[in-house]
Amino acid sequence: MKHLLIAAGLLSATSAIAADKPQLTVYTYDSFVSDWGPGPQVKEAFEAVCDCELNLVGVEDGAALLSRVRLEGENSDADVVLGLDTNLIAAARETGLFAPNSVSADFALPIEWIDDTFTPYDWGYFAFVHKADATAPANFRELADSDTKIIIQDPRSSTPGLGLLMWVKAAYGDDAPEIWAGLSDNIVTVTKGWSEAYGLFLEGESDMVLSYTTSPAYHLIAEDDGSKAASAFDEGNYLQVEVAAKLAATDQAELADQFLQFMVSDAFQQIIPTTNWMYPAVTPAEGLPKGFDTLTVPAKSLLFSPDEAAAVRDQALAEWQNALSQ
């Protein structure tokens, strides 16, 4: 009995110590917190330096994050949101729910970055991924004229889905409805998020899937499989920069700032290439993994500024919905 009482006392003391540690809650997308995503490694690395508990909460795909936080408002459990992008920054800023930070970093982005609230952690180019030995369309018009079957993501819940809308709009402007009308019979299905779409592609449900030029790196590095490739389109490929920000209502402001600064450190950034399969926002000390040098690099990059993306979003969404409802 004495030994049991001692054991119970030790357990109680351990629980009390754990309970005393502050907790930082980060909302992010499902693939980030998956076993194969960055989440587990990020949690271990940050908890090793923060004397805290990092609680990573998966909320479907990137665009759903903003909807969740907007719905919860100042009562949100989140201290940090990780997984928005440049297409959502203006809408996120308008909510008034996000606060500035003092993060500093030597960013390795293809664009200049000046923003004191939304901090980049990775970037990449949207692209259609396909079998490397297949003849893939070289542009949207060629894709629309072909029998190629594609899977895309819903722009209302997914940042890749929204990125595709911006891509078509940036490339074709007022002709975007014509492009969507042509693509409508190529689309096998529209998924809520990236993970589901890519999984269906790997199961053979389509010829191509909306993803990234970096996606083939996963197959090459993790599976020693060079059977996947990404297309660089003649019109150019749309750039995505993913960002994180702290909530103004957080009661862990200092810890949130610590996490955001950690996010641009080597300890975090070296995890990104081979777990999130994107380019890191800050080049790791050891550089990019072998295999990234073989990836498709678009000759032309397309990108709306946050304000431009906000201005065309509703129209682009209506054009997409009209085409798919025919």
Side-chain angles (χ1 to χ4, degrees):
M1 178 63 73
K2 181 179 180 180
H3 294 297
L4 289 176
L5 291 173
I6 292 173
L10 289 173
L11 181 61
S12 177
T14 301
S15 299
I17 292 172
D20 287 340
K21 286 189 175 184
Q23 182 178 94
L24 186 75
T25 297
V26 177
Y27 283 4
T28 185
Y29 40 82
D30 286 341
S31 62
F32 194 95
V33 302
S34 66
D35 290 342
W36 46 267
Q41 293 185 49
V42 167
K43 177 178 171 66
E44 180 179 1
F46 186 59
E47 289 182 345
V49 298
C50 73
D51 192 28
C52 71
E53 180 183 351
L54 179 60
N55 180 29
L56 295 170
V57 179
V59 184
E60 296 181 352
D61 213 336
L65 289 170
L66 183 56
S67 298
R68 169 78 172 265
V69 173
R70 185 187 283 122
L71 180 65
E72 294 178 346
E74 294 182 356
N75 295 318
S76 178
D77 291 332
D79 301 298
V80 172
V81 171
L82 182 153
L84 306 179
D85 69 5
T86 50
N87 294 324
L88 293 170
I89 283 178
R93 201 185 306 277
E94 286 179 1
T95 67
L97 296 173
F98 296 92
N101 63 68
S102 58
V103 173
S104 61
D106 183 15
F107 291 118
L109 302 170
I111 58 172
E112 183 181 10
W113 193 266
I114 303 174
D115 194 305
D116 66 356
T117 301
F118 299 92
T119 303
Y121 63 92
D122 70 14
W123 64 278
Y125 296 101
F126 293 118
F128 284 96
V129 173
H130 54 87
K131 291 183 179 179
D133 59 1
T135 301
N139 54 64
F140 281 110
R141 292 191 185 277
E142 192 173 310
L143 174 57
D145 290 339
S146 74
D147 294 327
T148 304
K149 298 304 180 186
I150 63 174
I151 294 175
I152 64 173
Q153 298 87 29
D154 193 324
R156 295 162 296 188
S157 58
S158 164
T159 53
L162 180 58
L164 178 59
L165 260 61
M166 298 295 106
W167 186 1
V168 173
K169 197 66 178 173
Y172 289 96
D174 292 341
D175 292 333
E178 174 194 345
I179 298 300
W180 281 115
L183 291 174
S184 61
D185 61 354
N186 297 92
I187 299 171
V188 175
T189 190
V190 178
T191 64
K192 291 188 70 174
W194 175 87
S195 296
E196 181 185 356
Y198 206 83
L200 290 172
F201 163 70
L202 293 180
E203 292 170 6
E205 297 298 323
S206 67
D207 302 308
M208 302 173 74
V209 62
L210 177 63
S211 193
Y212 298 88
T213 59
T214 47
S215 296
Y218 164 75
H219 302 285
L220 188 63
I221 297 172
E223 301 178 333
D224 194 24
D225 176 7
S227 67
K228 306 296 185 298
S231 292
F233 271 16
D234 296 340
E235 306 96 332
N237 290 56
Y238 197 88
L239 174 67
Q240 182 186 45
V241 179
E242 293 194 292
V243 300
K246 72 174 178 180
L247 276 295
T250 177
D251 59 0
Q252 297 290 345
E254 290 186 9
L255 193 55
D257 284 340
Q258 182 183 354
F259 176 81
L260 291 172
Q261 188 63 58
F262 170 80
M263 186 182 72
V264 297
S265 72
D266 203 67
F268 182 106
Q269 291 291 301
Q270 67 180 350
I271 295 171
I272 290 297
T274 54
T275 55
N276 222 33
W277 303 100
M278 296 279 279
Y279 293 108
V282 179
T283 303
E286 296 185 359
L288 295 175
K290 184 179 179 181
F292 269 67
D293 56 332
T294 69
L295 299 176
T296 296
V297 178
K300 182 179 180 182
S301 175
L302 301 173
L303 180 67
F304 284 128
S305 71
D307 288 341
E308 290 170 336
V312 302
R313 181 182 179 181
D314 288 346
Q315 181 183 358
L317 181 60
E319 292 167 350
W320 174 80
Q321 289 175 314
N322 289 339
L324 269 61
S325 65
Q326 300 300 317

